[in-house]
Amino acid sequence: MKLVSNVAKLNGKLRVPGDKSISHRSIMFGSLAKGVTRVRDILRGEDVLSTMQVFRDLGVTIEDDGDVVTIHGVGFNGLKAPQNKLNMGNSGTSIRLISGVLAGQDFDVEMFGDDSLSKRPMDRVTIPLRQMGVEVSGQTERDLPPLKMHGSKHLTPIHYQLPVASAQVKSALIFAALQADGESLIIEKEKTRNHTEDMILQFGGNISVDGKEIRISGGQEFQGQDVVVPGDISSAAFWLVAGLIIPNSKIVLENVGINETRTGILDVIKAMGGNIKLSQIDELAKSATITVESSDLQGIEIGGDIIPRLIDELPVIALLATQANGTTIIRDAEELKVKETDRIQVVADALNSMGANITPTEDGMIIHGKTPLHGAEINTFGDHRIGMMAAIAALLVKEGQVSLRRAEAINTSYPSFFEDLKGLIQNG
Ligand code: SPQ
């Protein structure tokens, strides 16, 4: 696919699609609750559709009239053994969180995914789940998918210190702990996105969170709820960066989720001197309107406990840094290596092939700023965030053409990405 380049400015107002993490979890909690759950503004990206299909395969009735998704919950005891292997597509969130759900089910399942998911380590969830009494096996010593699993109705509660900062591992263990015989203690390495914990409370359950320590008791029941999904800050990130780096631009993003475990990118933009404003802040819905304008930016150091708060935004933050004054150093982000691609290497290769000056490191990148970008052929390797980062980078290009291979990966999290881009260019 040929990407649009050399745009004069971007201008306009838009609403990004619903938050992917919250959309997945709304289907999971809706299925595990008793009664009906109605979800508005859900993301209809391929990852979330995978989660929806898996719960249908597990015997849950889920209807979608194009506006509201209605889930007829069956409770933890109402899931049925699937007739087929469960297809998780490209979605790490689906396979890891659903492993936690199925840990408490006394039937055989097999879970598989696409070429990218088949390279991602599942041992981070299988090791603690085995300790709880689950039979599970994957490929190689890292337990790559496909995973074969047989859960148990008598799971042992777990006391577990997470060796990685991962909301997916935490959430998988919370789902398993909810079905265990007693209280579990899960201790995070760093605080990560807390949508699972928030949703337990929203669905009428109990969970105690004290800093990085999470206590959760088994045998809880949830009641169906009405859920409204805010816009995804990880999708908004592409427009935030575009508005900052394309001259004479102003972009207004309405109804963006601003849960504090996800807003690291806003802190980074402020620290770099970006012109960014929040308005219409809704404390209850944890959402706001965010406005950005083109800015003169300064390189900074990004590391430590902010990393989990912006982990998915680092590819586009790297692009931002190529246009800042001075050098930006990203560290403590080794988790990027086990995403849909090795995002340290793939981001550095893609942007360097366009003329950037990025040195990949073991746990991040060193990015020298103020580098003009030129045309190149970029491959997403099946990673949606690489595709969208390349499409924003292309907007700056004055010489040559940027073409994108495997652009369809973008449908994973943002099917209307190119329509939204067109709107901002036409108003620009
Ligand atoms: O679902 P998937 O493929 O793992 O999605 C990604 C993404 O970029 O969309 C990561 F590649 O987001 C993860 C995120 O990195 C979604 C997520 C969640 O919803 O719990 C948590 C993070 O992953 P992790 O491994 O840090 O727990």
Side-chain angles (χ1 to χ4, degrees):
M1 163 182 210
K2 300 239 179 296
L3 295 174
V4 178
S5 61
N6 198 12
V7 300
K9 59 177 176 173
L10 296 174
N11 195 5
K13 198 184 262 189
L14 65 88
R15 278 183 168 237
V16 293
D19 185 278
K20 178 159 77 69
S21 296
I22 297 176
S23 296
H24 280 297
R25 287 158 172 82
S26 66
I27 296 163
M28 296 175 189
F29 279 97
S31 298
L32 297 170
K34 294 266 172 70
V36 175
T37 288
R38 291 185 187 82
V39 190
R40 279 174 207 279
D41 299 333
I42 200 167
L43 169 67
R44 290 178 179 78
E46 284 171 2
D47 273 13
V48 176
L49 298 179
S50 296
T51 288
M52 230 187 256
Q53 185 54 47
V54 166
F55 278 92
R56 286 186 176 126
D57 293 347
L58 291 165
V60 181
T61 302
I62 304 176
E63 296 147 356
D64 184 0
D65 66 7
D67 179 23
V68 179
V69 169
T70 305
I71 306 161
H72 300 268
V74 296
F76 278 103
N77 291 323
L79 297 178
K80 302 254 172 0
Q83 301 297 307
N84 49 295
K85 296 177 185 174
L86 300 173
N87 186 354
M88 306 292 172
N90 185 252
S91 178
T93 308
S94 306
I95 193 167
R96 295 200 178 114
L97 271 61
I98 291 170
S99 293
V101 171
L102 296 177
Q105 305 295 319
D106 185 14
F107 49 68
D108 284 322
V109 285
E110 187 166 343
M111 296 175 272
F112 71 102
D114 69 6
D115 61 336
S116 154
L117 192 67
S118 303
K119 293 187 195 117
R120 296 177 67 183
M122 297 300 140
D123 54 349
R124 50 183 56 204
V125 288
T126 55
I127 291 169
L129 290 180
R130 275 189 203 108
Q131 286 179 28
M132 297 179 80
V134 177
E135 284 170 39
V136 53
S137 63
Q139 320 302 310
T140 81
E141 71 284 358
R142 299 299 310 270
D143 279 339
L144 309 180
L147 287 183
K148 283 189 177 157
M149 178 182 260
H150 193 113
S152 163
K153 285 279 170 202
H154 298 285
L155 290 177
T156 312
I158 194 164
H159 284 196
Y160 195 68
Q161 165 93 50
L162 265 71
V164 285
S166 165
Q168 293 178 354
V169 178
K170 170 179 67 174
S171 301
L173 295 184
I174 290 174
F175 278 120
L178 283 165
Q179 303 170 78
D181 300 327
E183 189 183 83
S184 294
L185 170 64
I186 300 162
I187 305 168
E188 292 204 78
K189 186 174 178 205
E190 296 286 355
K191 260 185 113 45
T192 60
R193 67 191 69 191
N194 61 2
H195 307 298
T196 305
E197 296 91 309
D198 277 359
M199 230 174 240
I200 286 180
L201 299 176
Q202 188 181 355
F203 277 75
N206 290 308
I207 182 162
S208 133
V209 181
D210 180 8
K212 294 177 188 165
E213 293 192 1
I214 299 168
R215 284 186 171 75
I216 183 136
S217 49
Q220 299 193 32
E221 281 199 357
F222 299 133
Q223 290 304 319
Q225 298 294 320
D226 285 348
V227 178
V228 183
V229 182
D232 198 329
I233 192 165
S234 299
S235 299
F238 297 100
W239 310 125
L240 296 178
V241 168
L244 291 165
I245 64 178
I246 309 288
N248 307 311
S249 298
K250 180 173 179 179
I251 300 179
V252 181
L253 302 164
E254 293 177 317
N255 187 42
V256 181
I258 52 160
N259 174 312
E260 70 287 354
T261 61
R262 299 284 299 281
T263 47
I265 186 169
L266 305 184
D267 299 345
V268 160
I269 291 171
K270 285 177 199 153
M272 292 177 84
N275 186 343
I276 185 164
K277 283 190 197 73
L278 267 65
S279 56
Q280 313 274 326
I281 298 172
D282 182 335
E283 304 280 356
L284 203 66
K286 298 189 183 177
S287 66
T289 294
I290 309 179
T291 305
V292 282
E293 292 183 55
S294 330
S295 303
D296 193 33
L297 301 162
Q298 192 58 47
I300 57 166
E301 296 197 9
I302 306 170
D305 58 10
I306 197 173
I307 293 294
R309 296 178 56 235
L310 46 64
I311 188 77
D312 296 337
E313 291 64 77
L314 284 170
V316 78
I317 288 173
L319 167 63
L320 184 68
T322 68
Q323 303 307 306
N325 297 294
T327 302
T328 294
I329 299 173
I330 299 171
R331 52 170 75 96
D332 305 320
E334 58 282 343
E335 274 295 299
L336 286 177
K337 292 183 183 170
V338 290
K339 300 298 180 186
E340 284 83 327
T341 53
D342 174 346
R343 287 183 177 161
I344 294 181
Q345 197 62 51
V346 174
V347 166
D349 288 348
L351 288 171
N352 285 344
S353 74
M354 295 178 73
N357 182 353
I358 302 180
T359 308
T361 64
E362 265 313 294
D363 65 349
M365 290 173 235
I366 301 167
I367 304 153
H368 300 284
K370 287 286 171 201
T371 49
L373 301 180
H374 55 69
E377 187 178 293
I378 309 290
N379 193 334
T380 68
F381 298 105
D383 187 337
H384 51 132
R385 302 212 188 275
I386 301 298
M388 290 184 276
M389 184 276 290
I392 302 300
L395 301 173
L396 284 171
V397 165
K398 297 202 166 43
E399 264 175 49
Q401 172 83 55
V402 187
S403 57
L404 187 64
R405 291 181 65 190
R406 297 186 63 185
E408 69 287 350
I410 291 171
N411 294 329
T412 294
S413 66
Y414 200 160
S416 56
F417 176 81
F418 287 108
E419 270 165 58
D420 286 350
L421 174 58
K422 212 185 206 172
L424 293 172
I425 293 171
Q426 275 162 0
N427 289 326

